[in-house]
């Protein structure tokens, strides 16, 4: 994400943030952004965890309906 900005761009962003928010407000702002990212990650993990049991709960196909190994089509490698 920051690869295209470079060092001068990052320095400019820090100076701009200091001017806009002041040095006393920046730590509070950083904590709020960190909390927001943490909550987003936890919500994403919860959504993924809730969707996995649905996939695992599918019943496997009966053995009688499966084709013999020699007749299965294989994808080219």
């Amino acid at each position: 994400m920051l690869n295209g900005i470079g060092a001068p761009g990052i320095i400019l962003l820090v100076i701009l943030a200091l001017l806009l928010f002041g040095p006393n407000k920046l730590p509070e702002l950083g904590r709020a952004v960190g909390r927001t990212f943490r909550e987003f990650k936890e919500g994403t993990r919860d959504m993924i965890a809730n969707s996995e049991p649905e996939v695992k709960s599918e019943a496997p196909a009966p053995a009688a309906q499966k084709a013999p190994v020699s007749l299965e089509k294989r994808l080219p490698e």
Side-chain angles (χ1 to χ4, degrees):
M1 182 170 104
L2 294 176
N3 290 341
I5 294 176
I10 293 174
I11 293 170
L12 183 64
L13 286 174
V14 169
I15 292 171
L16 184 64
L18 280 171
L19 290 173
L20 287 175
F21 300 109
N24 296 333
K25 206 68 160 156
L26 281 181
E28 182 181 326
L29 185 64
R31 281 190 290 273
V33 170
R35 257 186 259 122
T36 302
F37 281 130
R38 194 175 321 117
E39 290 174 5
F40 179 76
K41 283 174 75 174
E42 288 173 2
T44 305
R45 285 187 195 131
D46 290 344
M47 288 176 60
I48 291 171
N50 289 338
S51 68
E52 284 180 5
E54 296 171 7
V55 174
K56 290 180 181 178
S57 66
E58 292 179 7
Q65 292 180 357
K66 289 186 178 179
V69 175
S70 60
L71 297 177
E72 287 184 6
K73 293 183 180 179
R74 297 179 185 240
L75 295 175
E77 295 180 8

